[in-house]
PDB file of all heavy atoms in Angstrom:
ATOM      1  N   LEU K  17      23.729  -8.095 -46.051  1.00  0.00           N
ATOM      2  CA  LEU K  17      25.079  -7.767 -45.599  1.00  0.00           C
ATOM      3  C   LEU K  17      25.420  -8.515 -44.314  1.00  0.00           C
ATOM      4  O   LEU K  17      26.500  -9.075 -44.157  1.00  0.00           O
ATOM      5  CB  LEU K  17      25.201  -6.261 -45.350  1.00  0.00           C
ATOM      6  CG  LEU K  17      26.573  -5.806 -44.848  1.00  0.00           C
ATOM      7  CD1 LEU K  17      27.475  -5.475 -46.010  1.00  0.00           C
ATOM      8  CD2 LEU K  17      26.447  -4.601 -43.929  1.00  0.00           C
ATOM      9  N   SER K  18      24.450  -8.529 -43.401  1.00  0.00           N
ATOM     10  CA  SER K  18      24.758  -9.147 -42.118  1.00  0.00           C
ATOM     11  C   SER K  18      24.910 -10.660 -42.240  1.00  0.00           C
ATOM     12  O   SER K  18      25.449 -11.310 -41.360  1.00  0.00           O
ATOM     13  CB  SER K  18      23.690  -8.782 -41.082  1.00  0.00           C
ATOM     14  OG  SER K  18      22.486  -9.407 -41.409  1.00  0.00           O
ATOM     15  N   ARG K  19      24.453 -11.201 -43.350  1.00  0.00           N
ATOM     16  CA  ARG K  19      24.598 -12.647 -43.530  1.00  0.00           C
ATOM     17  C   ARG K  19      25.841 -13.008 -44.327  1.00  0.00           C
ATOM     18  O   ARG K  19      26.203 -14.177 -44.423  1.00  0.00           O
ATOM     19  CB  ARG K  19      23.386 -13.197 -44.265  1.00  0.00           C
ATOM     20  CG  ARG K  19      22.212 -13.366 -43.313  1.00  0.00           C
ATOM     21  CD  ARG K  19      21.079 -14.027 -44.042  1.00  0.00           C
ATOM     22  NE  ARG K  19      19.903 -14.033 -43.189  1.00  0.00           N
ATOM     23  CZ  ARG K  19      18.672 -14.068 -43.643  1.00  0.00           C
ATOM     24  NH1 ARG K  19      18.440 -14.097 -44.940  1.00  0.00           N
ATOM     25  NH2 ARG K  19      17.663 -14.085 -42.814  1.00  0.00           N
ATOM     26  N   ALA K  20      26.433 -11.987 -44.948  1.00  0.00           N
ATOM     27  CA  ALA K  20      27.610 -12.266 -45.770  1.00  0.00           C
ATOM     28  C   ALA K  20      28.721 -12.835 -44.897  1.00  0.00           C
ATOM     29  O   ALA K  20      28.895 -12.396 -43.762  1.00  0.00           O
ATOM     30  CB  ALA K  20      28.080 -10.987 -46.445  1.00  0.00           C
ATOM     31  N   PRO K  21      29.457 -13.823 -45.410  1.00  0.00           N
ATOM     32  CA  PRO K  21      30.500 -14.444 -44.598  1.00  0.00           C
ATOM     33  C   PRO K  21      31.582 -13.445 -44.198  1.00  0.00           C
ATOM     34  O   PRO K  21      32.025 -13.435 -43.065  1.00  0.00           O
ATOM     35  CB  PRO K  21      31.060 -15.547 -45.495  1.00  0.00           C
ATOM     36  CG  PRO K  21      30.556 -15.258 -46.882  1.00  0.00           C
ATOM     37  CD  PRO K  21      29.331 -14.442 -46.747  1.00  0.00           C
ATOM     38  N   HIS K  22      32.006 -12.631 -45.115  1.00  0.00           N
ATOM     39  CA  HIS K  22      32.861 -11.527 -44.682  1.00  0.00           C
ATOM     40  C   HIS K  22      32.654 -10.294 -45.550  1.00  0.00           C
ATOM     41  O   HIS K  22      32.174 -10.367 -46.668  1.00  0.00           O
ATOM     42  CB  HIS K  22      34.335 -11.928 -44.618  1.00  0.00           C
ATOM     43  CG  HIS K  22      34.809 -12.611 -45.868  1.00  0.00           C
ATOM     44  ND1 HIS K  22      35.164 -13.937 -45.907  1.00  0.00           N
ATOM     45  CD2 HIS K  22      34.944 -12.145 -47.127  1.00  0.00           C
ATOM     46  CE1 HIS K  22      35.499 -14.252 -47.147  1.00  0.00           C
ATOM     47  NE2 HIS K  22      35.380 -13.192 -47.898  1.00  0.00           N
ATOM     48  N   ILE K  23      33.001  -9.175 -44.969  1.00  0.00           N
ATOM     49  CA  ILE K  23      32.681  -7.905 -45.611  1.00  0.00           C
ATOM     50  C   ILE K  23      33.896  -7.417 -46.389  1.00  0.00           C
ATOM     51  O   ILE K  23      34.847  -6.908 -45.829  1.00  0.00           O
ATOM     52  CB  ILE K  23      32.296  -6.851 -44.559  1.00  0.00           C
ATOM     53  CG1 ILE K  23      31.208  -7.390 -43.643  1.00  0.00           C
ATOM     54  CG2 ILE K  23      31.834  -5.566 -45.228  1.00  0.00           C
ATOM     55  CD1 ILE K  23      29.960  -7.837 -44.342  1.00  0.00           C
ATOM     56  N   ASP K  24      33.823  -7.627 -47.693  1.00  0.00           N
ATOM     57  CA  ASP K  24      34.899  -7.115 -48.526  1.00  0.00           C
ATOM     58  C   ASP K  24      34.333  -6.043 -49.444  1.00  0.00           C
ATOM     59  O   ASP K  24      33.161  -5.674 -49.340  1.00  0.00           O
ATOM     60  CB  ASP K  24      35.533  -8.259 -49.336  1.00  0.00           C
ATOM     61  CG  ASP K  24      34.448  -9.065 -50.048  1.00  0.00           C
ATOM     62  OD1 ASP K  24      33.283  -8.593 -50.104  1.00  0.00           O
ATOM     63  OD2 ASP K  24      34.747 -10.174 -50.548  1.00  0.00           O
ATOM     64  N   GLU K  25      35.167  -5.583 -50.328  1.00  0.00           N
ATOM     65  CA  GLU K  25      34.741  -4.512 -51.216  1.00  0.00           C
ATOM     66  C   GLU K  25      33.499  -4.911 -52.020  1.00  0.00           C
ATOM     67  O   GLU K  25      32.594  -4.117 -52.226  1.00  0.00           O
ATOM     68  CB  GLU K  25      35.901  -4.161 -52.155  1.00  0.00           C
ATOM     69  CG  GLU K  25      35.633  -2.891 -52.923  1.00  0.00           C
ATOM     70  CD  GLU K  25      36.846  -2.407 -53.690  1.00  0.00           C
ATOM     71  OE1 GLU K  25      37.980  -2.736 -53.282  1.00  0.00           O
ATOM     72  OE2 GLU K  25      36.643  -1.716 -54.700  1.00  0.00           O
ATOM     73  N   ARG K  26      33.473  -6.173 -52.422  1.00  0.00           N
ATOM     74  CA  ARG K  26      32.338  -6.622 -53.224  1.00  0.00           C
ATOM     75  C   ARG K  26      31.030  -6.547 -52.448  1.00  0.00           C
ATOM     76  O   ARG K  26      30.004  -6.104 -52.955  1.00  0.00           O
ATOM     77  CB  ARG K  26      32.587  -8.053 -53.715  1.00  0.00           C
ATOM     78  CG  ARG K  26      32.360  -8.174 -55.213  1.00  0.00           C
ATOM     79  CD  ARG K  26      32.552  -9.593 -55.690  1.00  0.00           C
ATOM     80  NE  ARG K  26      31.387 -10.405 -55.396  1.00  0.00           N
ATOM     81  CZ  ARG K  26      31.415 -11.744 -55.370  1.00  0.00           C
ATOM     82  NH1 ARG K  26      32.537 -12.402 -55.609  1.00  0.00           N
ATOM     83  NH2 ARG K  26      30.322 -12.415 -55.122  1.00  0.00           N
ATOM     84  N   ALA K  27      31.095  -6.997 -51.197  1.00  0.00           N
ATOM     85  CA  ALA K  27      29.882  -6.975 -50.372  1.00  0.00           C
ATOM     86  C   ALA K  27      29.399  -5.538 -50.166  1.00  0.00           C
ATOM     87  O   ALA K  27      28.187  -5.266 -50.188  1.00  0.00           O
ATOM     88  CB  ALA K  27      30.164  -7.640 -49.027  1.00  0.00           C
ATOM     89  N   ILE K  28      30.339  -4.639 -49.983  1.00  0.00           N
ATOM     90  CA  ILE K  28      29.958  -3.243 -49.770  1.00  0.00           C
ATOM     91  C   ILE K  28      29.350  -2.648 -51.046  1.00  0.00           C
ATOM     92  O   ILE K  28      28.329  -1.965 -51.006  1.00  0.00           O
ATOM     93  CB  ILE K  28      31.166  -2.418 -49.284  1.00  0.00           C
ATOM     94  CG1 ILE K  28      31.466  -2.807 -47.831  1.00  0.00           C
ATOM     95  CG2 ILE K  28      30.897  -0.925 -49.385  1.00  0.00           C
ATOM     96  CD1 ILE K  28      32.731  -2.240 -47.273  1.00  0.00           C
ATOM     97  N   LYS K  29      29.965  -2.953 -52.171  1.00  0.00           N
ATOM     98  CA  LYS K  29      29.424  -2.429 -53.438  1.00  0.00           C
ATOM     99  C   LYS K  29      28.027  -2.975 -53.696  1.00  0.00           C
ATOM    100  O   LYS K  29      27.146  -2.269 -54.190  1.00  0.00           O
ATOM    101  CB  LYS K  29      30.368  -2.789 -54.594  1.00  0.00           C
ATOM    102  CG  LYS K  29      31.690  -2.026 -54.502  1.00  0.00           C
ATOM    103  CD  LYS K  29      32.183  -1.583 -55.876  1.00  0.00           C
ATOM    104  CE  LYS K  29      32.964  -0.295 -55.773  1.00  0.00           C
ATOM    105  NZ  LYS K  29      34.376  -0.419 -56.157  1.00  0.00           N
ATOM    106  N   GLU K  30      27.836  -4.230 -53.349  1.00  0.00           N
ATOM    107  CA  GLU K  30      26.525  -4.853 -53.513  1.00  0.00           C
ATOM    108  C   GLU K  30      25.489  -4.154 -52.614  1.00  0.00           C
ATOM    109  O   GLU K  30      24.383  -3.847 -53.034  1.00  0.00           O
ATOM    110  CB  GLU K  30      26.643  -6.349 -53.161  1.00  0.00           C
ATOM    111  CG  GLU K  30      25.336  -7.121 -53.101  1.00  0.00           C
ATOM    112  CD  GLU K  30      24.705  -7.328 -54.475  1.00  0.00           C
ATOM    113  OE1 GLU K  30      25.432  -7.197 -55.478  1.00  0.00           O
ATOM    114  OE2 GLU K  30      23.485  -7.591 -54.530  1.00  0.00           O
ATOM    115  N   LEU K  31      25.886  -3.900 -51.388  1.00  0.00           N
ATOM    116  CA  LEU K  31      25.003  -3.206 -50.446  1.00  0.00           C
ATOM    117  C   LEU K  31      24.626  -1.835 -51.000  1.00  0.00           C
ATOM    118  O   LEU K  31      23.449  -1.444 -51.009  1.00  0.00           O
ATOM    119  CB  LEU K  31      25.702  -3.042 -49.092  1.00  0.00           C
ATOM    120  CG  LEU K  31      24.971  -2.130 -48.107  1.00  0.00           C
ATOM    121  CD1 LEU K  31      23.783  -2.854 -47.484  1.00  0.00           C
ATOM    122  CD2 LEU K  31      25.899  -1.625 -47.015  1.00  0.00           C
ATOM    123  N   VAL K  32      25.626  -1.120 -51.456  1.00  0.00           N
ATOM    124  CA  VAL K  32      25.397   0.220 -51.981  1.00  0.00           C
ATOM    125  C   VAL K  32      24.430   0.180 -53.160  1.00  0.00           C
ATOM    126  O   VAL K  32      23.520   1.004 -53.274  1.00  0.00           O
ATOM    127  CB  VAL K  32      26.746   0.868 -52.366  1.00  0.00           C
ATOM    128  CG1 VAL K  32      26.548   2.059 -53.278  1.00  0.00           C
ATOM    129  CG2 VAL K  32      27.495   1.283 -51.099  1.00  0.00           C
ATOM    130  N   ARG K  33      24.602  -0.818 -54.021  1.00  0.00           N
ATOM    131  CA  ARG K  33      23.699  -0.944 -55.167  1.00  0.00           C
ATOM    132  C   ARG K  33      22.256  -1.186 -54.708  1.00  0.00           C
ATOM    133  O   ARG K  33      21.315  -0.634 -55.256  1.00  0.00           O
ATOM    134  CB  ARG K  33      24.144  -2.088 -56.081  1.00  0.00           C
ATOM    135  CG  ARG K  33      24.777  -1.597 -57.379  1.00  0.00           C
ATOM    136  CD  ARG K  33      24.876  -2.681 -58.421  1.00  0.00           C
ATOM    137  NE  ARG K  33      25.441  -3.930 -57.919  1.00  0.00           N
ATOM    138  CZ  ARG K  33      26.759  -4.180 -57.819  1.00  0.00           C
ATOM    139  NH1 ARG K  33      27.642  -3.284 -58.201  1.00  0.00           N
ATOM    140  NH2 ARG K  33      27.198  -5.334 -57.357  1.00  0.00           N
ATOM    141  N   GLU K  34      22.121  -2.008 -53.690  1.00  0.00           N
ATOM    142  CA  GLU K  34      20.758  -2.290 -53.212  1.00  0.00           C
ATOM    143  C   GLU K  34      20.117  -1.083 -52.549  1.00  0.00           C
ATOM    144  O   GLU K  34      18.913  -0.860 -52.670  1.00  0.00           O
ATOM    145  CB  GLU K  34      20.787  -3.476 -52.238  1.00  0.00           C
ATOM    146  CG  GLU K  34      21.178  -4.741 -52.968  1.00  0.00           C
ATOM    147  CD  GLU K  34      20.502  -5.970 -52.401  1.00  0.00           C
ATOM    148  OE1 GLU K  34      19.553  -5.817 -51.596  1.00  0.00           O
ATOM    149  OE2 GLU K  34      20.925  -7.076 -52.762  1.00  0.00           O
ATOM    150  N   ILE K  35      20.928  -0.339 -51.846  1.00  0.00           N
ATOM    151  CA  ILE K  35      20.390   0.877 -51.231  1.00  0.00           C
ATOM    152  C   ILE K  35      19.953   1.846 -52.327  1.00  0.00           C
ATOM    153  O   ILE K  35      18.890   2.456 -52.260  1.00  0.00           O
ATOM    154  CB  ILE K  35      21.430   1.540 -50.304  1.00  0.00           C
ATOM    155  CG1 ILE K  35      21.699   0.624 -49.109  1.00  0.00           C
ATOM    156  CG2 ILE K  35      20.949   2.896 -49.812  1.00  0.00           C
ATOM    157  CD1 ILE K  35      22.807   1.100 -48.197  1.00  0.00           C
ATOM    158  N   GLN K  36      20.771   1.940 -53.355  1.00  0.00           N
ATOM    159  CA  GLN K  36      20.402   2.798 -54.493  1.00  0.00           C
ATOM    160  C   GLN K  36      19.057   2.387 -55.071  1.00  0.00           C
ATOM    161  O   GLN K  36      18.170   3.212 -55.296  1.00  0.00           O
ATOM    162  CB  GLN K  36      21.455   2.698 -55.599  1.00  0.00           C
ATOM    163  CG  GLN K  36      22.683   3.542 -55.335  1.00  0.00           C
ATOM    164  CD  GLN K  36      23.772   3.311 -56.367  1.00  0.00           C
ATOM    165  OE1 GLN K  36      23.664   2.420 -57.213  1.00  0.00           O
ATOM    166  NE2 GLN K  36      24.826   4.094 -56.288  1.00  0.00           N
ATOM    167  N   ARG K  37      18.935   1.101 -55.284  1.00  0.00           N
ATOM    168  CA  ARG K  37      17.696   0.604 -55.882  1.00  0.00           C
ATOM    169  C   ARG K  37      16.500   0.937 -54.992  1.00  0.00           C
ATOM    170  O   ARG K  37      15.465   1.407 -55.463  1.00  0.00           O
ATOM    171  CB  ARG K  37      17.815  -0.917 -56.076  1.00  0.00           C
ATOM    172  CG  ARG K  37      16.974  -1.443 -57.224  1.00  0.00           C
ATOM    173  CD  ARG K  37      17.256  -2.922 -57.478  1.00  0.00           C
ATOM    174  NE  ARG K  37      18.657  -3.189 -57.768  1.00  0.00           N
ATOM    175  CZ  ARG K  37      19.340  -4.264 -57.354  1.00  0.00           C
ATOM    176  NH1 ARG K  37      18.742  -5.180 -56.595  1.00  0.00           N
ATOM    177  NH2 ARG K  37      20.601  -4.440 -57.685  1.00  0.00           N
ATOM    178  N   ALA K  38      16.664   0.705 -53.689  1.00  0.00           N
ATOM    179  CA  ALA K  38      15.558   0.963 -52.755  1.00  0.00           C
ATOM    180  C   ALA K  38      15.164   2.433 -52.769  1.00  0.00           C
ATOM    181  O   ALA K  38      13.981   2.772 -52.803  1.00  0.00           O
ATOM    182  CB  ALA K  38      15.981   0.539 -51.340  1.00  0.00           C
ATOM    183  N   LEU K  39      16.152   3.297 -52.764  1.00  0.00           N
ATOM    184  CA  LEU K  39      15.849   4.730 -52.710  1.00  0.00           C
ATOM    185  C   LEU K  39      15.232   5.223 -54.014  1.00  0.00           C
ATOM    186  O   LEU K  39      14.312   6.038 -54.009  1.00  0.00           O
ATOM    187  CB  LEU K  39      17.119   5.524 -52.393  1.00  0.00           C
ATOM    188  CG  LEU K  39      17.669   5.315 -50.975  1.00  0.00           C
ATOM    189  CD1 LEU K  39      19.033   5.962 -50.825  1.00  0.00           C
ATOM    190  CD2 LEU K  39      16.711   5.870 -49.936  1.00  0.00           C
ATOM    191  N   LEU K  40      15.739   4.713 -55.117  1.00  0.00           N
ATOM    192  CA  LEU K  40      15.174   5.134 -56.403  1.00  0.00           C
ATOM    193  C   LEU K  40      13.721   4.696 -56.511  1.00  0.00           C
ATOM    194  O   LEU K  40      12.872   5.407 -57.027  1.00  0.00           O
ATOM    195  CB  LEU K  40      16.008   4.582 -57.561  1.00  0.00           C
ATOM    196  CG  LEU K  40      17.389   5.243 -57.715  1.00  0.00           C
ATOM    197  CD1 LEU K  40      18.223   4.529 -58.770  1.00  0.00           C
ATOM    198  CD2 LEU K  40      17.266   6.725 -58.038  1.00  0.00           C
TER     199      LEU K  40
END
Side-chain angles (χ1 to χ4, degrees):
L17 179 90
S18 69
R19 281 185 187 154
H22 50 248
I23 308 303
D24 50 13
E25 191 171 335
R26 230 182 79 199
I28 287 172
K29 291 219 149 116
E30 172 71 19
L31 170 77
V32 163
R33 253 195 312 276
E34 294 213 12
I35 294 174
Q36 280 174 353
R37 208 173 302 142
L39 292 171
L40 289 173

